[in-house]
Amino acid sequence: MIEGKIIKFYREKKRRTQGELVKGICSVTHLSKIERGMTEYSQEIMDMLCERLHIDMVREVTRYHQMKELLDTWQEAIIMQRTAEAIRLKDKLEEEPLTGIPDLRLSCDLLRIRFYLFMNNIDEAERHIDKVEIPDELEHSYEYYFYHHLMGIYYFLTGHYAKSIQTLTSIDQSKYTNHEYFYHLSLAYHSIYSNITSYYYAEKAIQHFRKTLNMVRIIDTETIMLVQLNSREYHDFPETKRRYRI
């Protein structure tokens, strides 16, 4: 339940123990279950908890949903390369306290890394990479592969092309729907002069950008494809045929 997450967030933000918060309201055990979304609760108890924390629950739940929409919009602005909008949304998100709620915090942390990579601010990206942690229970989730996507971009921007390819090819495209990463794979293969493979991933990327009507990235991808067509590369035809069957 969202309400339980919000209660826990503001309780910890105000540095109050569960015992301090529930004194005269309910048991610590009951609060613990509310915070974990494991029990029903009366509106009277919720109202008293909110009054003690000085929050308006209706307003906070609305803000929570708006935050999720804002994060999606921020990611879209970055992918679409709308720089001014991406900067504005980043500044707006920095003012939102609810980014500290665990299930929003990870998304926000990952998008901060994506933003700084987009802005080519490697130092800030590294600072946030060092802090982010992917919980074990999220292995093979969208967030897990989003992190791999970010690391693939990071390795590419820092000149570690083989490592970028290794990281990006480990992504399960059936679970990670942001197929923008094919574009970054194409760039990485181009950087090691693997022109056939670069073209292959560029074709996959351009299909994604056409579906999402991303005209800027379509042009970028078409440029990569033209470069590959004008390059010469010794290649293994059986391997090429195998890739195009994938």
Side-chain angles (χ1 to χ4, degrees), residues 84-99:
E85 183 183 356
I87 293 171
R88 178 181 63 78
L89 290 170
K90 183 256 183 188
D91 291 341
K92 185 175 182 179
L93 281 160
E94 295 295 345
E95 299 172 355
E96 289 290 339
L98 288 183
T99 54

Side-chain angles (χ1 to χ4, degrees), residues 27-239:
S27 69
V28 170
T29 301
H30 190 52
L31 175 62
S32 179
K33 289 181 178 180
I34 290 173
E35 291 185 344
R36 289 179 290 160
M38 296 177 63
T39 189
E40 297 294 329
Y41 52 83
S42 70
Q43 188 60 49
E44 182 183 8
I45 286 178
M46 181 55 64
D47 289 343
M48 287 190 287
L49 292 173
C50 290
E51 183 179 357
R52 193 160 286 181
L53 289 170
H54 306 291
I55 61 172
D56 180 333
M57 184 56 73
V58 173
R59 179 172 175 269
E60 295 301 327
V61 169
T62 300
R63 289 177 64 188
Y64 176 89
H65 290 299
Q66 288 174 341
M67 277 292 304
K68 292 183 79 81
E69 292 176 4
L70 199 57
L71 288 169
D72 290 340
T73 304
W74 191 23
Q75 182 172 19
E76 181 183 349
I78 293 169
I79 294 172
M80 294 289 185
Q81 297 192 336
R82 299 195 291 258
T83 305
E85 183 183 356
I87 293 171
R88 178 181 63 78
L89 290 170
K90 183 256 183 188
D91 291 341
K92 185 175 182 179
L93 281 160
E94 295 295 345
E95 299 172 355
E96 289 290 339
L98 288 183
T99 54
I101 287 185
D103 56 338
L104 293 179
R105 186 191 305 144
L106 179 57
S107 295
C108 200
D109 288 345
L110 292 173
L111 281 170
R112 280 196 190 97
I113 296 169
R114 183 69 181 91
F115 172 79
Y116 288 118
L117 292 172
F118 167 59
M119 300 298 291
N120 208 28
N121 188 336
I122 304 302
D123 289 341
E124 275 299 304
E126 285 178 344
R127 188 170 72 83
H128 288 281
I129 287 170
D130 289 340
K131 293 190 300 183
V132 75
E133 293 183 6
I134 307 295
D136 292 340
E137 62 268 22
L138 290 182
E139 187 175 2
H140 305 305
S141 66
Y142 178 94
E143 290 80 8
Y144 176 83
Y145 290 117
F146 187 19
Y147 176 74
H148 280 64
H149 184 183
L150 299 177
M151 292 308 298
I153 299 172
Y154 169 75
Y155 290 135
F156 172 78
L157 292 176
T158 54
H160 298 87
Y161 305 127
K163 208 167 183 179
S164 174
I165 290 167
Q166 181 182 16
T167 304
L168 292 170
T169 52
S170 72
I171 293 173
D172 184 342
Q173 63 178 291
S174 68
K175 295 182 179 178
Y176 184 63
T177 54
N178 178 16
H179 292 170
E180 177 203 21
Y181 82 94
F182 290 134
Y183 173 79
H184 298 111
L185 256 175
S186 179
L187 286 176
Y189 274 111
H190 169 69
S191 299
I192 62 168
Y193 308 104
S194 184
N195 301 312
I196 296 294
T197 310
S198 176
Y199 189 92
Y200 165 74
Y201 280 112
E203 279 199 322
K204 291 175 77 71
I206 207 166
Q207 290 172 18
H208 172 68
F209 293 141
R210 283 171 178 161
K211 286 179 183 176
T212 55
L213 303 178
N214 192 337
M215 298 308 298
V216 173
R217 305 304 290 280
I218 288 172
I219 294 169
D220 290 344
T221 309
E222 286 178 340
T223 301
I224 294 174
M225 296 172 79
L226 286 171
V227 170
Q228 310 319 312
L229 288 172
N230 287 298
S231 299
R232 293 181 179 180
E233 173 191 20
Y234 172 78
H235 56 272
D236 184 340
F237 280 103
E239 171 64 11

